[in-house]
Amino acid sequence: MKTKTLMAALLASSLLTTPAVMAQADDEQLVVGALQFLTNFHPLIQVNNTKRNLITLSLRPITAFDSSGEVVCVLCEEVPTIENGLAEIVDNGDGTEGMRVSLTIMEGASWGDGTPVTSDDIVFTHQVATDENIGFSNYNPWTRASEIEVVDDRTVIIHLPEVLQNFNAWDQILPAHLERPIYEANGDLESYVRQTLYNREPTNPGLWNGSYILTDYQIGTRITFEPNPYWPGMVPDIERIIMSYRDNNSALMQNVLSGEIQLVPVSPGGISFSQMLDLRNQAPDRYNYVVEDGNNLERIALNLDNPILADLNVRKALLHGIDRQAITGALFGGLQPVANGLHSQASPFYTTGIATYAYDPEAAKTLLAEAGWTPGPDGICVNDNGDRLSFEFVTTAGNATREQIALVIQSQLREICVETNNVFAGLQEYNGDYARRRQFTGMIMSSIEFSLGSSPNIALGTSAIPSEENSWVGNNFSGYSSEAMDAAINTLEGSLERADRIAGWAEVQRIFAEDLPMLPLYFYTSAWVAPVNLQLEASSFDPEMTWAEEWVLN
């Protein structure tokens, strides 16, 4: 089947009937639809976008990026900067420079059991994060710090052995009064994950310090959040937020139409973009359709241990053979832009002037021929050894958008004599063996967001290749290792001035575009289908739920 015909068939299968129910949340609770129930509740282990978006409701990062891209305090009093003196560059005494960063926890910040959030929680989080037997995978790693110096109950000085551009971006912390005894009794990742209260007793209010706390759950079905009575900030307007899970996009959509679900994100993790577009066309006034530019990159990681994919010409041919513009046009109405680099145009670090790979099947075939691949009798390329140009293509089961894209890409690549065998894996298997342990043999599709404070090391650095030695931490699923990239990342990480950071990201993206350790597809917009009486602001850079107490039901 030709690509355009296949796209038309896929889109036709997702057409909606006109909804008979007005999406209207009551004034006490909001039901949010979702896919991909968490495989574990620990906020800093095996972190991905799905977990990050959910956990932020009840466990707040110390800082976050607002919709304008500026660092703001969420659980602190004042953002440390060089200008205000809360951050300073210091001489390490060995010819190198580091930093001292003073951080004060927000006055009145408390865990959901009434225990104050203190400096000891930061010290404990740093202790666990730097334990090589555990392995956190948060976006702004605590391993950047060599020491946490306690000034008082709410203030610490974070010692950094290097000058880092993201010195004032810090993620969630853990409750020492509950988790320290468990950590001390379970010294390896497997036993700690099994025994942590986040997995054994996630409804314990003392685990959460956000405006909401997790109060109830049923595995695979729902998670309920209610206001934290000890939250010192704005009192939430919504009495209860329920995350309601379904197995696939179609089930989510049907429950939106029936009124059982009021708010639903648009892929990944929710309904497909094409479903939202169909619904918006048929019922433009019955829902609010929130669509904002985003920086979440949908990409295909390539296992570079596979000698076929280790060939740069093959990687370039694959990207030339995928009609990304047609995919985003057919599935997303052109609203999700094709990606060439790691940042979208919404980001201050967006880069132009890098290598790009437009859809060009003839160029793809030429590159494959140069790499020694020529069409075989069944139309699939073979090399002189008789090896077929064939490998598996893994993505998440139940996500209609990804399943559609995998089928379209399979059809497109076949036209340049490449065979892919689609594997739609359950979330636990996908996040475990396939991704974290790099047991996929060909390609794997997922999303990653290079937030404004995070380092590209999380997916491109040699140290971020998941392995037993680093407790399978990192998003460098491709196994990409480049001295030039590592050096560029190191330079970027030490750039404090905005102009230097822009230049640093440009160099990282230049190397990325030339090496193609993964294939960039498109950038997700931050999109929701929302009830008409809900005031919701979408953010381009951090999860919307970071500010859920500001959501208002009229």
Side-chain angles (χ1 to χ4, degrees):
M1 182 182 293
K2 293 297 184 183
T3 298
K4 291 183 178 179
T5 305
L6 177 59
M7 284 187 183
L10 291 169
L11 289 173
S13 68
S14 66
L15 292 176
L16 306 171
T17 56
T18 302
V21 179
M22 176 82 75
Q24 182 90 4
D26 63 37
D27 59 359
E28 293 186 352
Q29 75 176 27
L30 179 69
V31 181
V32 184
L35 302 173
Q36 302 180 0
F37 195 88
L38 299 184
T39 54
N40 77 73
F41 283 91
H42 197 287
L44 299 176
I45 293 175
Q46 295 179 348
V47 179
N48 55 28
N49 285 330
T50 300
K51 175 182 284 189
R52 186 167 174 252
N53 290 340
L54 175 71
I55 290 298
T56 307
L57 254 178
S58 52
L59 195 71
R60 292 295 161 81
I62 291 178
T63 63
F65 288 90
D66 66 13
S67 58
S68 67
E70 295 298 321
V71 181
V72 295
C73 272
V74 177
L75 208 66
C76 59
E77 288 284 352
E78 185 176 3
V79 175
T81 66
I82 299 292
E83 291 72 22
N84 65 19
L86 294 178
E88 59 178 333
I89 298 174
V90 297
D91 187 342
N92 289 331
D94 60 359
T96 64
E97 291 183 326
M99 300 187 76
R100 286 165 46 96
V101 181
S102 179
L103 201 63
T104 299
I105 297 168
M106 177 174 57
E107 184 175 2
S110 298
W111 300 99
D113 60 3
T115 302
V117 178
T118 69
S119 300
D120 189 44
D121 296 317
I122 297 179
V123 171
F124 170 63
T125 302
H126 178 256
Q127 179 187 3
V128 183
T130 54
D131 184 341
E132 61 183 17
N133 294 316
I134 300 298
F136 282 2
S137 58
N138 50 319
Y139 278 63
N140 299 294
W142 287 97
T143 52
R144 291 172 292 168
S146 58
E147 179 189 355
I148 306 293
E149 176 186 343
V150 175
V151 177
D152 57 41
D153 283 349
R154 292 171 46 225
T155 302
V156 300
I157 294 176
I158 301 173
H159 293 262
L160 305 177
E162 302 173 90
V163 176
L164 297 176
Q165 54 91 16
N166 58 355
F167 65 87
N168 57 11
W170 298 97
D171 287 344
Q172 290 90 345
I173 55 178
L174 304 175
H177 68 293
L178 295 179
E179 283 289 291
R180 178 176 278 129
I182 296 171
Y183 162 71
E184 291 177 347
N186 298 275
D188 63 84
L189 178 62
E190 183 177 350
S191 61
Y192 175 57
V193 169
R194 187 168 57 246
Q195 295 301 323
T196 173
L197 288 181
Y198 284 103
N199 286 331
R200 288 196 297 116
E201 196 181 322
T203 57
N204 188 320
L207 297 173
W208 312 107
N209 61 22
S211 58
Y212 286 87
I213 56 176
L214 194 159
T215 59
D216 185 39
Y217 74 102
Q218 182 174 334
I219 293 176
T221 303
R222 71 171 185 275
I223 304 175
T224 302
F225 298 88
E226 296 178 337
N228 177 0
Y230 299 100
W231 173 249
M234 178 187 293
V235 176
D237 179 71
I238 302 172
E239 296 282 335
R240 186 179 302 105
I241 296 177
I242 300 173
M243 303 299 298
S244 186
Y245 290 84
R246 301 295 184 271
D247 292 334
N248 54 66
N249 307 76
S250 297
L252 270 181
M253 193 68 251
Q254 291 306 313
N255 287 139
V256 170
L257 298 177
S258 70
E260 294 177 54
I261 289 172
Q262 285 87 31
L263 175 67
V264 64
V266 179
S267 187
I271 63 172
S272 70
F273 212 90
S274 59
Q275 286 174 315
M276 185 203 74
L277 293 176
D278 289 338
L279 184 59
R280 190 173 68 173
N281 289 336
Q282 296 181 36
D285 300 323
R286 296 192 179 189
Y287 305 85
N288 282 335
Y289 302 93
V290 182
V291 180
E292 300 285 345
D293 289 339
N295 204 46
N296 189 6
L297 172 66
E298 186 78 345
R299 48 79 190 260
I300 298 174
L302 307 166
N303 191 329
L304 300 184
D305 295 336
N306 183 327
I308 295 175
L309 295 170
D311 190 321
L312 178 58
N313 274 355
V314 171
R315 301 199 296 274
K316 289 181 177 180
L318 292 175
L319 198 50
H320 273 308
I322 300 173
D323 193 345
R324 294 172 291 162
Q325 193 64 58
I327 289 173
T328 187
L331 295 180
F332 313 125
L335 294 176
Q336 300 200 143
V338 167
N340 292 308
L342 306 174
H343 283 283
S344 73
Q345 293 189 51
S347 169
F349 303 131
Y350 172 71
T351 301
T352 59
I354 60 177
T356 59
Y357 303 88
Y359 178 58
D360 190 340
E362 294 308 312
K365 293 173 185 177
T366 298
L367 286 165
L368 291 178
E370 291 175 1
W373 297 97
T374 56
D378 63 352
I380 301 303
C381 276
V382 294
N383 61 15
D384 290 341
N385 296 324
D387 301 319
R388 286 166 56 82
L389 189 51
S390 175
F391 35 78
E392 68 179 2
F393 185 13
V394 182
T395 192
T396 45
N399 185 317
T401 299
R402 285 184 176 150
E403 290 181 356
Q404 289 174 351
I405 290 174
L407 290 170
V408 170
I409 289 176
Q410 182 181 53
S411 176
Q412 291 177 341
L413 291 183
R414 190 172 184 88
E415 294 178 13
I416 63 166
C417 78
V418 176
E419 179 181 67
T420 62
N421 301 301
N422 291 334
V423 177
F424 302 137
L427 188 62
Q428 186 165 356
E429 182 184 18
Y430 177 91
N431 282 335
D433 289 342
Y434 277 117
R436 295 294 169 191
R437 293 179 180 268
R438 298 188 61 239
Q439 292 184 6
F440 71 101
T441 60
M443 309 193 303
I444 188 168
M445 179 164 51
S446 66
S447 66
I448 186 168
E449 183 164 7
F450 292 92
S451 74
L452 301 189
S454 66
S455 167
N457 188 73
I458 60 174
L460 298 173
T462 300
S463 63
I465 300 172
S467 67
E468 187 172 3
E469 287 70 29
N470 65 14
S471 299
W472 307 105
V473 169
N475 272 282
N476 188 346
F477 302 144
S478 293
Y480 171 63
S481 180
S482 160
E483 290 184 5
M485 178 62 81
D486 288 342
I489 290 172
N490 187 59
T491 298
L492 169 61
E493 289 177 339
S495 301
L496 296 185
E497 298 297 328
R498 174 61 67 93
D500 293 335
R501 292 169 65 192
I502 291 173
W505 269 110
E507 177 64 5
V508 165
Q509 294 186 86
R510 181 192 66 78
I511 297 172
F512 167 82
E514 291 179 358
D515 288 356
L516 285 185
M518 52 190 180
L519 308 181
L521 297 179
Y522 56 87
F523 289 103
Y524 286 102
T525 56
S526 180
W528 298 74
V529 173
V532 294
N533 61 330
L534 173 67
Q535 296 180 25
L536 167 70
E537 292 295 328
S539 171
S540 298
F541 304 112
D542 268 310
E544 289 83 357
M545 293 176 179
T546 306
W547 298 277
E549 62 272 17
E550 299 179 13
W551 296 1
V552 176
L553 283 170
N554 297 316

